[in-house]
């Protein structure tokens, strides 16, 4: 199960080795789609289940795979150029782990001329120092691919997992195998390079923090820090899902709040008036999933 392999490849930098791969699914008439940013180990197709579900319900969804960028500013500049190329003024971002950190950095980077309408941060963090690896961040580029893969695999759950999660982990390990040395080294560098989010620059953006309460790579301290940083954020607490809830759960709850506005990520014809009323009435509920 995966997405078609002929994903468009787009170059927006002067350096033509920096290639964005993406899947753009759902109605092109939607001007404020949901964009998925993967974790260190992920490729654009790790989000295939979300893409299939959300586009089936009428959403426009884009899943990305990053080029090789070695610092956060370079990533933000490249991502802004990509949105310009796609003619998207504002977007919703769903970031998993490193993808969530980069989503926050991009929102911060564009705060004077906002490009991010909302954020879904899944098992994410706001300060890279939590990994205690800022001192090694400058040496990842020297390491061979097998060593980099070992570092990433060290974060995957080793305890008992349910069959659906076991499949998801196998899939992620398979995706990891497809990443080259420079792709892995650059992502680990972005993951561990000394940096933190400046919350005052992005405090007006609607945020949902998605947390998973089984064995995941993030410490309780990192999760608490996120709650402190975004006191008004909605919280989605998922009881299972490991490090890959985005393979098994959907972001729809977050997107409901924008239905009926020009920032809706869904085709209006897919939402009935009654459904809109029900959704508006239920938005205050803190979503808990089994």
């Amino acid at each position: 199960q995966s997405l078609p392999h002929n994903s468009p490849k787009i170059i927006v930098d002067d350096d033509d080795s920096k290639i964005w791969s993406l899947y753009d699914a759902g109605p092109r008439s939607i001007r404020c789609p949901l964009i998925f940013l993967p974790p260190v180990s992920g490729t654009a197709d790790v989000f295939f289940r979300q893409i299939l579900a959300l586009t089936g319900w009428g959403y426009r969804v884009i899943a990305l795979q990053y080029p090789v960028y070695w610092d956060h500013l370079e990533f933000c500049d490249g991502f802004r150029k990509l949105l310009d190329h796609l003619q998207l003024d504002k977007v919703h971002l769903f970031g998993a782990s490193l993808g969530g950190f980069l989503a926050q950095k991009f929102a911060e980077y564009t705060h004077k001329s906002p490009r991010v309408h909302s954020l879904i941060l899944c098992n994410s963090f706001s300060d890279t120092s939590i990994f205690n690896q800022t001192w090694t961040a400058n040496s990842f580029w020297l390491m061979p691919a097998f060593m980099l893969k070992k570092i990433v695999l060290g974060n995957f759950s080793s305890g008992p997992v349910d069959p659906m999660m076991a499949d998801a982990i196998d899939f992620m390990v398979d995706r990891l195998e497809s990443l080259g040395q420079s792709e892995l080294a650059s992502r680990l560098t972005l993951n561990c390079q000394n940096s933190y989010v400046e919350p005052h620059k992005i405090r007006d953006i609607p945020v949902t923090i998605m947390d998973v309460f089984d064995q995941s790579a993030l410490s309780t301290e990192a999760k608490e820090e996120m709650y402190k940083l975004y006191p008004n954020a909605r919280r989605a607490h998922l009881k299972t899902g490991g490090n890959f809830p985005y393979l098994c759960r959907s972001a729809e709850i977050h997107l409901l709040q924008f239905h009926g506005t020009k920032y809706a990520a869904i085709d209006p014809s897919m939402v009935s008036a009654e459904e809109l009323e029900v959704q508006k009435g239920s938005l205050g509920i803190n979503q808990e999933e089994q």
Side-chain angles (χ1 to χ4, degrees):
Q1 270 186 306
S2 71
L3 292 159
H5 286 290
N6 56 350
S7 56
K9 308 227 178 308
I10 297 173
I11 296 168
V12 293
D13 290 283
D14 296 334
D15 176 353
D16 62 8
S17 70
K18 296 197 181 302
I19 300 168
W20 292 85
S21 310
L22 58 92
Y23 298 102
D24 186 347
R28 296 298 165 94
S29 56
I30 301 300
R31 303 308 306 147
C32 191
L34 175 65
I35 298 185
F36 283 97
L37 301 176
V40 168
S41 55
T43 51
D45 52 359
V46 298
F47 298 111
F48 71 92
R49 285 184 193 162
Q50 267 63 21
I51 293 171
L52 294 177
L54 288 165
T55 52
W57 299 330
Y59 289 93
R60 181 179 179 189
V61 182
I62 297 173
L64 294 178
Q65 190 164 323
Y66 322 121
V68 172
Y69 287 125
W70 295 97
D71 69 58
H72 303 118
L73 192 60
E74 190 187 25
F75 166 83
C76 289
D77 193 46
F79 189 37
R80 181 182 53 76
K81 288 177 187 162
L82 179 72
L83 294 185
D84 291 347
H85 174 86
L86 296 171
Q87 300 181 308
L88 298 171
D89 291 332
K90 290 196 94 178
V91 292
H92 305 280
L93 295 180
F94 180 117
S97 192
L98 168 64
F101 182 72
L102 293 175
Q104 294 169 84
K105 292 304 283 182
F106 183 70
E108 179 188 293
Y109 170 81
T110 57
H111 78 281
K112 287 188 173 154
S113 176
R115 305 297 293 269
V116 179
H117 195 64
S118 76
L119 289 167
I120 304 171
L121 305 172
C122 176
N123 274 8
S124 196
F125 53 91
S126 58
D127 187 337
T128 57
S129 64
I130 60 159
F131 296 107
N132 298 321
Q133 284 190 316
T134 48
W135 57 278
T136 55
N138 294 333
S139 56
F140 288 128
W141 67 279
L142 290 165
M143 295 181 188
F146 80 88
M147 246 172 111
L148 298 169
K149 284 173 185 166
K150 263 176 89 165
I151 292 170
V152 176
L153 288 169
N155 287 329
F156 287 6
S157 176
S158 53
V161 290
D162 66 58
M164 191 176 181
M165 285 321 308
D167 283 351
I169 291 173
D170 286 346
F171 180 67
M172 292 297 284
V173 171
D174 182 53
R175 297 294 83 205
L176 181 63
E177 285 303 315
S178 71
L179 293 172
Q181 190 275 348
S182 57
E183 289 172 299
L184 274 171
S186 65
R187 291 176 186 201
L188 281 166
T189 302
L190 292 176
N191 203 71
C192 300
Q193 202 169 56
N194 204 5
S195 182
Y196 58 88
V197 175
E198 298 176 61
H200 60 280
K201 291 184 177 171
I202 53 178
R203 61 168 171 243
D204 297 329
I205 296 175
V207 175
T208 290
I209 295 173
M210 207 181 271
D211 273 324
V212 174
F213 289 103
D214 55 10
Q215 305 150 315
S216 88
L218 279 188
S219 64
T220 310
E221 291 81 357
K223 292 178 181 179
E224 292 301 326
E225 195 54 42
M226 290 291 284
Y227 296 150
K228 264 194 278 190
L229 207 59
Y230 302 107
N232 302 321
R234 294 159 189 271
R235 297 186 192 179
H237 302 310
L238 311 180
K239 305 251 182 337
T240 59
N243 286 354
F244 318 116
Y246 42 87
L247 286 175
C248 321
R249 314 282 183 211
S250 124
E252 195 184 27
I253 294 157
H254 171 90
L255 294 171
L256 295 180
Q257 62 190 303
F258 308 108
H259 285 194
T261 75
K262 71 173 183 173
Y263 298 114
I266 192 170
D267 178 350
S269 68
M270 300 289 278
V271 189
S272 68
E274 305 85 80
E275 199 185 343
L276 212 50
E277 286 311 305
V278 171
Q279 284 160 0
K280 283 179 176 160
S282 66
L283 279 176
I285 299 166
N286 184 20
Q287 295 294 335
E288 291 261 344
E289 285 194 35
Q290 290 306 319

